[in-house]
Amino acid sequence: MRTLVILTLLAALVVAATCYESHESMESHEYLNPFLNRRRANDFIQADTRLRAITQERIRERSKAPQEHQRELCEDYYPCEMYAFRHGYAAAYKHYFGRRRTK
């Protein structure tokens, strides 16, 4: 009889230890409401900065400065490029492409 009481007490202790729900599991608001609203859903996710950098680079490629266009035009024409090595790209562009005449 004594062993039966001891086994019953041990079984009660095991059940109490394994079935106890701690306060820590109740701290989470997900226990009461597992779904987030739309505004809070993306609060913890940061946008990928690499994608933003690539997008900015693509925008810069489409809208180049006039000096950049002039330099590329001068680099494609060999005599202009040689002149630019000596006098600079602005002077070379002006020398070769600045005096265009239209008839």
Side-chain angles (χ1 to χ4, degrees):
M1 181 78 173
R2 188 175 190 190
T3 57
L4 184 62
V5 172
I6 292 175
L7 286 176
T8 307
L9 286 175
L10 282 175
L13 285 174
V14 168
V15 167
T18 57
C19 295
Y20 173 72
E21 193 163 330
S22 68
H23 176 69
E24 294 167 356
S25 65
M26 298 293 278
E27 283 180 1
S28 166
H29 298 290
E30 295 171 0
Y31 179 76
L32 300 174
N33 187 7
F35 301 106
L36 296 173
N37 66 20
R38 291 181 190 177
R39 290 183 183 159
R40 291 197 53 222
N42 292 327
D43 284 350
F44 57 91
I45 297 175
Q46 298 295 324
D48 194 4
T49 55
R50 289 178 302 167
L51 291 176
R52 188 177 303 136
I54 290 170
T55 304
Q56 289 297 324
E57 183 178 342
R58 297 293 177 250
I59 289 171
R60 273 188 249 114
E61 284 178 1
R62 276 188 256 138
S63 58
K64 291 183 181 177
Q67 292 85 6
E68 184 74 22
H69 285 292
Q70 291 175 359
R71 183 178 181 132
E72 288 176 357
L73 190 65
C74 192
E75 285 175 348
D76 290 340
Y77 185 53
Y78 185 73
C80 182
E81 188 176 16
M82 289 295 112
Y83 192 88
F85 285 143
R86 183 170 281 244
H87 302 287
Y89 279 100
Y93 181 83
K94 189 183 287 184
H95 179 76
Y96 284 98
F97 302 106
R99 293 181 265 150
R100 294 203 172 188
R101 297 185 188 127
T102 57
K103 291 185 180 181

